[in-house]
Amino acid sequence: MAEDAPARVPDSYDVEPVYDVTSDELPEDRFLDRELSWLRFNQRVLELAEDESVPLLERARFAAIFASNLDEFFMVRVAGLKRRIVAGVAVPSASGLQPREVLELIWATTTELMQRHAACFRDTIVPALAEHDIEILRWPELDRDEQRKMKKLFKERIFPVLTPLAVDPAHPFPYISGLSLNLAVLVRNPKTHKEHFARVKVPPILDRFLAVDEQRFVPLEDVIAEHLKPLFPGMSVVAVHSFRVTRNEDLEVEEDDAENLLAALEKGLLRRRFGPPVRLEVEESMDDHVLDLLVHELGMNPAEVVRVPGPLDLRGLHDIADIDRAELKFPAFLPGTHTRLKEVETASPVDVFAQMRNSDVLLHHPYDSFSTSVQRFIEQAAVDPAVLAIKQTLYRTSGDSPIIEALIDAAEAGKQVLVIVEIKARFDEGANIKWARKLEQAGCHVVYGLVGLKTHCKLALVVRDEAEGLRRYVHIGTGNYNPKTARSYEDLGLMTVHEGITEDVAHLFNNLSGYARQPSYSQLMVAPHSVRKGLVERIEREVEHHREGRPARIRFKANSVVDEAVIDALYAASRAGVPVQLLTRGICALRPGVPGLSETIEVRSVLGRFLEHSRIFWFENGGEPEAWIGSADLMHRNLDRRVEVLVAVPGQESRDEIGRLLEVAFDPGTAAWELASDGTWTRRGVAEDGTPCLDLQEWLIKQSRRGR
């Protein structure tokens, strides 16, 4: 089924023009719009919620993920676009669309997607859950005993935490916090017959869907709405409608604040709560005069209002998806220990350092266990008396991270511990501030990266004193040092003692913590200095190989492909005849399959039970392939405003493993979405002979169970 966006981008490729391959001029409309491309990504997530072949509770989870994704899109992307338009600094996007055009297309697309999302929940997921005795009910659907039970719960647990806020000359319109669920209540004075407006916030500390019994649920706001009389004694409740505001929550810290970045960021977190509104969601039944009041008091444009069937805020479906019904979920999968790190004869954990000295270890999470590889590496380093120093970057980690505890143990044991904490990681700022302070109190050297750059690279360096002298051990990954997300994010990691790589990483840590400035590295590409340049040079090298008749091919796997310089280099490679294959989970601004421009380029997307997160850059290189992995996506922010690292994977065995992964991912018989030149995506789940296509993630699970 083609994934056509409801609001079509003006597209000159509909007539398939042919460009002169000998010309150096590239068409101005060669880029797809990044915002609309992201919305098409979220549409693919919605397709998984709609897909009846996906286990039912997983469909509910995909519906929750769609809602969370769209919230963040409005909080950051739409808010930023509005801010630039208001400030008069907005310029046409690389796609050629004016900012207001993009905004109009965003609203047309998101409105349709939100309606489709609501319909998916109401018309397919809820009835399907009911068939399996899991019921999400509205208040009138509860029987009398259940209503009495909810009334008792309201009195004991809900009423005490509610605060009605009236709006009148003595009570100004209350501040509505971003993403909070609220009830707009109209009450009438029975003596004067005058109507009044009040707002009741639905407490976020309570369950989004209240359990009537083990598998019957009712939305929290339904219970509140049915029991409003105690909040407004002496008044008549005329109408109740739920609504929700999305605000600009993109955090900005001025460069002048860099000397005290921690304090500046904490102030910014407080300001975030008061960002301007960018979207108002209301139940479709809301009275027009109540909606007019909300729009006026919030200072919003009526075009920023979306009416949808209730209930609003379906992020709470994560709780439904967590119900213990294994038959309605993906089959259980327990990551296994990498073959090189398995205990052989004794029950004691393997010596990670000894295994790394024997050979590199290429990890593929979640198929390879994070806890018995990366986590064990840091934990063993913390207690090993031969270890002198540990240096690590932290971008996002879990609240109870054993990595943090191991670093603290190492510092308390007298080891030198340096931690580069990126406290500006969006929406994790508060947690990172907390862990930075805890690490400092334990005696770790905590550095907040470089002014003007986010430190996004994933690096761990251990220095060990051995009989032959000091030896460095390094882990470089594509994902965060987060044991929880490592169970659901697909990522690669390299554990190595390769001398060139470990020396490069040591220099990079010196750059991040001190005044050293290493201009170049032998085994690494480091943004913002050399990732774009290094990738473009290797793309151009493939063109030379192709012209000389040597093997040439480019295969990239990334979350997003947006950077115009890299895309233009890929266009040039395609015009020269080099096969190019891109696997992107999210945004892709490149138009594949355009005659004379990108005829040899194929773009695919894989979505599934695990979030595809690894970044791979493969070059056939005349028959001597290079494979690079790391933290960088092909976006401006990664290549220009972040410290990112790509590493050349050493060792034929590791490169062969990456090559096999890409071979299966791009096989025509593997299920994927395929991108057309007009920006639409088509899902390919069935082969030409009618057999189901291979599920890449399920195939990798089977390979993992066989020990690869």
Side-chain angles (χ1 to χ4, degrees):
M1 180 175 65
E3 185 169 285
D4 292 314
R8 188 76 178 276
V9 182
D11 196 339
S12 64
Y13 288 122
D14 291 340
V15 296
E16 295 192 345
V18 177
Y19 298 101
D20 179 5
V21 248
T22 62
S23 170
D24 291 332
E25 294 298 321
L26 292 173
E28 292 183 1
D29 54 355
R30 63 190 181 275
F31 302 114
L32 296 168
D33 187 81
R34 63 154 291 160
E35 315 300 352
L36 300 176
S37 180
W38 185 93
L39 289 174
R40 288 174 176 132
F41 150 67
N42 210 27
Q43 184 173 331
R44 299 197 291 282
V45 175
L46 181 54
E47 284 190 24
L48 291 174
E50 297 168 333
D51 186 349
E52 294 183 3
S53 70
V54 174
L56 182 54
L57 289 179
E58 306 295 351
R59 292 173 62 192
R61 193 178 304 282
F62 282 122
I65 293 170
F66 171 90
S68 299
N69 285 349
L70 200 58
D71 285 345
E72 184 169 339
F73 178 75
F74 272 94
M75 288 189 294
V76 178
R77 301 304 308 178
V78 175
L81 188 59
K82 278 190 64 179
R83 184 172 63 242
R84 292 192 294 274
I85 291 173
V86 170
V89 296
V91 296
S93 66
S95 66
L97 294 174
Q98 294 293 330
R100 292 191 184 278
E101 288 182 280
V102 175
L103 202 55
E104 289 171 3
L105 288 165
I106 286 172
W107 274 110
T109 306
T110 55
T111 300
E112 191 274 341
L113 286 177
M114 289 173 68
Q115 295 291 343
R116 181 171 157 185
H117 179 240
C120 172
F121 170 74
R122 179 192 61 214
D123 300 336
T124 63
I125 291 178
V126 169
L129 288 170
E131 291 178 7
H132 293 275
D133 300 320
I134 301 172
E135 297 180 275
I136 301 176
L137 308 164
R138 304 311 297 261
W139 180 263
E141 297 173 294
L142 302 181
D143 62 35
R144 287 191 176 183
D145 288 343
E146 290 171 333
Q147 290 183 350
R148 281 195 288 268
K149 180 179 179 180
M150 288 297 101
K151 183 175 182 179
K152 184 174 184 291
L153 178 70
F154 176 84
K155 183 178 179 180
E156 295 176 355
R157 301 284 299 167
I158 302 174
F159 177 76
V161 299
L162 295 179
T163 303
L165 296 174
V167 176
D168 59 29
H171 301 85
F173 190 84
Y175 175 78
I176 310 296
S177 55
L179 300 187
S180 64
L181 188 59
N182 304 273
L183 296 178
V185 184
L186 276 183
V187 295
R188 181 183 295 125
N189 187 319
K191 294 182 179 180
T192 65
H193 300 290
K194 186 175 181 181
E195 290 187 353
H196 301 272
F197 175 86
R199 172 260 192 154
V200 177
K201 182 176 180 177
V202 178
I205 59 171
L206 300 175
D207 291 339
R208 176 70 188 85
F209 294 99
L210 298 175
V212 180
D213 64 21
E214 190 174 341
Q215 293 188 150
R216 282 168 67 86
F217 302 87
V218 62
L220 172 58
E221 67 272 22
D222 279 21
V223 177
I224 296 173
E226 192 62 30
H227 299 90
L228 286 173
K229 286 185 179 181
L231 283 176
F232 303 98
M235 305 290 280
S236 300
V237 177
V238 177
V240 186
H241 307 285
S242 61
F243 71 96
R244 187 169 179 262
V245 175
T246 311
R247 294 184 176 275
N248 178 350
E249 298 200 16
D250 197 13
L251 193 62
E252 293 186 346
V253 178
E254 298 295 331
E255 291 298 326
D256 292 344
D257 292 329
E259 287 187 9
N260 196 351
L261 187 56
L262 217 59
L265 198 63
E266 287 177 315
K267 290 179 182 177
L269 288 171
L270 292 175
R271 291 196 302 270
R272 171 183 277 174
R273 295 178 54 245
F274 301 96
V278 294
R279 178 181 58 163
L280 174 61
E281 298 169 82
V282 302
E283 275 191 299
E284 59 185 6
S285 60
M286 179 174 281
D287 296 337
D288 287 341
H289 67 287
V290 176
L291 178 57
D292 290 342
L293 173 67
L294 288 175
V295 169
H296 173 74
E297 293 292 348
L298 290 167
M300 300 188 69
N301 188 319
E304 297 171 329
V305 176
V306 183
R307 287 183 181 264
V308 292
L312 305 180
D313 190 10
L314 294 180
R315 295 176 301 168
L317 286 174
H318 278 295
D319 294 336
I320 303 298
D322 287 338
I323 292 174
D324 187 14
R325 292 285 297 274
E327 76 277 13
L328 301 179
K329 298 183 179 182
F330 289 125
F333 169 64
L334 183 65
T337 300
H338 190 284
T339 51
R340 290 224 169 87
L341 301 176
K342 284 182 178 178
E343 300 81 3
V344 182
E345 296 178 354
T346 65
S348 59
V350 72
D351 183 340
V352 176
F353 300 110
Q355 294 304 313
M356 290 175 67
R357 287 194 298 273
N358 288 336
S359 66
D360 297 335
V361 179
L362 182 69
L363 300 166
H364 195 186
H365 308 300
Y367 313 104
D368 293 321
S369 167
F370 181 89
S371 62
T372 59
S373 56
V374 182
Q375 181 180 318
R376 184 172 289 171
F377 171 51
I378 302 299
E379 288 173 339
Q380 288 189 357
V383 299
D384 186 343
V387 169
L388 305 179
I390 304 173
K391 300 184 181 185
Q392 187 163 2
T393 61
L394 289 178
Y395 191 76
R396 303 184 197 274
T397 190
S398 57
D400 53 352
S401 173
I403 298 284
I404 297 285
E405 297 304 323
L407 294 172
I408 289 172
D409 290 345
E412 291 177 344
K415 302 180 192 302
Q416 293 293 311
V417 179
L418 170 72
V419 188
I420 314 293
V421 178
E422 183 44 78
I423 57 173
K424 299 187 296 298
R426 183 180 288 149
F427 303 127
D428 274 346
E429 299 94 343
N432 286 2
I433 288 172
K434 173 186 173 183
W435 288 118
R437 288 199 162 128
K438 185 173 181 178
L439 288 163
E440 284 179 327
Q441 290 166 3
C444 300
H445 301 293
V446 179
V447 177
Y448 304 121
L450 302 175
V451 174
L453 298 173
K454 281 187 180 181
T455 304
H456 189 248
C457 50
K458 326 298 182 183
L459 306 173
L461 169 69
V462 172
V463 181
R464 198 166 183 270
D465 191 5
E466 300 178 356
E468 301 81 5
L470 296 184
R471 190 194 301 267
R472 302 185 183 104
Y473 297 77
V474 159
H475 171 267
I476 301 179
T478 67
N480 300 306
Y481 290 104
N482 187 320
K484 290 184 178 178
T485 60
R487 293 194 289 268
S488 58
Y489 281 36
E490 179 272 339
D491 273 302
L492 292 169
L494 175 68
M495 302 175 74
T496 185
V497 295
H498 184 285
E499 189 172 342
I501 293 174
T502 58
E503 184 174 356
D504 278 356
V505 171
H507 285 311
L508 180 54
F509 271 111
N510 290 339
N511 290 353
L512 292 171
S513 65
Y515 288 108
R517 287 295 174 265
Q518 181 83 1
S520 61
Y521 301 86
S522 65
Q523 302 296 318
L524 305 180
M525 296 185 215
V526 180
H529 302 295
S530 62
V531 172
R532 180 187 288 110
K533 180 174 180 287
L535 291 176
V536 169
E537 286 176 350
R538 283 162 178 79
I539 293 170
E540 293 172 344
R541 187 181 63 188
E542 292 301 300
V543 173
E544 290 303 312
H545 284 310
H546 179 74
R547 286 175 178 162
E548 296 297 325
R550 295 185 292 269
R553 180 170 56 183
I554 298 166
R555 284 175 163 170
F556 288 176
K557 181 179 184 295
N559 294 310
S560 298
V561 179
V562 175
D563 188 75
E564 291 85 9
V566 174
I567 291 175
D568 278 348
L570 293 173
Y571 282 148
S574 178
R575 293 170 74 179
V578 178
V580 178
Q581 293 174 307
L582 306 179
L583 188 63
T584 173
R585 184 186 86 238
I587 307 169
C588 183
L590 179 148
R591 296 182 186 268
V594 177
L597 178 69
S598 56
E599 291 174 271
T600 68
I601 301 180
E602 170 193 359
V603 181
R604 308 187 107 210
S605 181
V606 171
L607 277 71
R609 67 184 292 179
F610 304 131
L611 185 143
E612 293 289 325
H613 192 251
S614 65
R615 293 88 166 184
I616 303 171
F617 303 92
W618 175 279
F619 303 94
E620 202 67 27
N621 191 31
E624 298 180 4
E626 281 187 5
W628 295 74
I629 65 170
S631 57
D633 278 310
L634 300 180
M635 304 177 73
H636 299 164
R637 72 183 186 193
N638 298 90
L639 304 185
D640 296 323
R641 301 191 298 275
R642 290 183 174 184
V643 179
E644 305 276 15
V645 168
L646 300 181
V647 60
V649 176
Q652 188 64 45
E653 187 176 341
S654 295
R655 287 195 298 273
D656 286 347
E657 186 173 341
I658 291 175
R660 283 192 297 272
L661 170 63
L662 294 175
E663 200 68 40
V664 176
F666 289 112
D667 189 288
T670 297
W673 281 264
E674 297 175 354
L675 179 62
S677 62
D678 64 357
T680 59
W681 292 82
T682 302
R683 192 175 185 184
R684 304 292 184 198
V686 179
E688 291 183 2
D689 61 2
T691 59
C693 289
L694 176 76
D695 184 304
L696 177 64
Q697 295 183 351
E698 288 301 315
W699 178 79
L700 286 166
I701 286 174
K702 290 176 182 176
Q703 296 296 111
S704 174
R705 286 173 174 156
R706 291 172 186 156
R708 286 205 261 134

